[in-house]
Amino acid sequence: MSEAPLPAIRSLPSWLLGRAAARGRALVAAALAEQDMRMWHHVVLSAVRDLGPVAQADLGRGVGLDPKDLVGILNDLQAAGLVVREPDPKDRRKNAVSLTARGARLLTRCEKAARAANDELLAPLSEAEREQFTGMLLRISGTAD
């Protein structure tokens, strides 16, 4: 199915960024699927590594997930032996989430797969163009700080 010509829309940076983002997400999702990992599970696993041990509520805020969604993802990750939830030593009423050794090994493989997918996405660009493009994306995304 070919797309209808919409040059006014298709020339907008916002439309082009959306298309590039969708392609990037699809490439990364496929790469992660080869590791038996889903996107949000990868995000949470990465955040646990960076923040852990981390209170479950803080983890949810940090990745921008609804608490109910986070619980489901953590249940999956814990059942797979990738994270553990234990009482938070700072506040025994809360759970602290930590990465297991198995989770760390899988995360390393997933990060490698995600980088390869991003390399595929950016393959048409030179190294200098990639750095410039990434810098521009940081500036316009509002995440430069």
Side-chain angles (χ1 to χ4, degrees):
M1 173 180 173
S2 67
E3 298 181 35
L6 300 167
I9 296 296
R10 292 191 178 163
S11 64
L12 293 173
S14 57
W15 188 87
L16 293 167
L17 281 169
R19 293 298 296 231
R23 182 167 179 257
R25 276 190 303 276
L27 289 169
V28 171
L32 292 175
E34 290 178 13
Q35 303 297 322
D36 294 323
M37 179 67 59
R38 293 188 295 245
M39 292 280 277
W40 272 109
H41 289 66
H42 178 244
V43 169
V44 169
L45 201 61
S46 184
V48 169
R49 189 256 332 266
D50 293 347
L51 302 171
V54 59
Q56 196 168 305
D58 294 338
L59 176 62
R61 282 188 293 278
V63 297
L65 266 178
D66 180 88
K68 288 180 236 165
D69 295 331
L70 178 63
V71 167
I73 290 169
L74 287 174
N75 287 345
D76 294 343
L77 294 173
Q78 188 166 7
L82 305 174
V83 300
V84 292
R85 286 183 278 194
E86 300 170 322
D88 188 334
K90 297 175 196 155
D91 184 345
R92 309 286 288 161
R93 297 168 296 168
K94 297 179 181 178
N95 280 327
V97 184
S98 300
L99 196 61
T100 65
R102 181 177 181 184
R105 287 189 302 273
L106 178 59
L107 184 57
T108 297
R109 291 192 309 272
C110 287
E111 288 173 336
K112 183 178 179 182
R115 278 192 301 277
N118 276 278
D119 286 344
E120 182 179 343
L121 176 68
L122 300 178
L125 305 178
S126 71
E127 190 60 38
E129 288 172 325
R130 288 177 187 209
E131 288 179 28
Q132 183 180 19
F133 180 66
T134 301
M136 287 188 266
L137 286 174
L138 281 168
R139 287 180 20 220
I140 66 172
S141 69
T143 60
D145 296 328

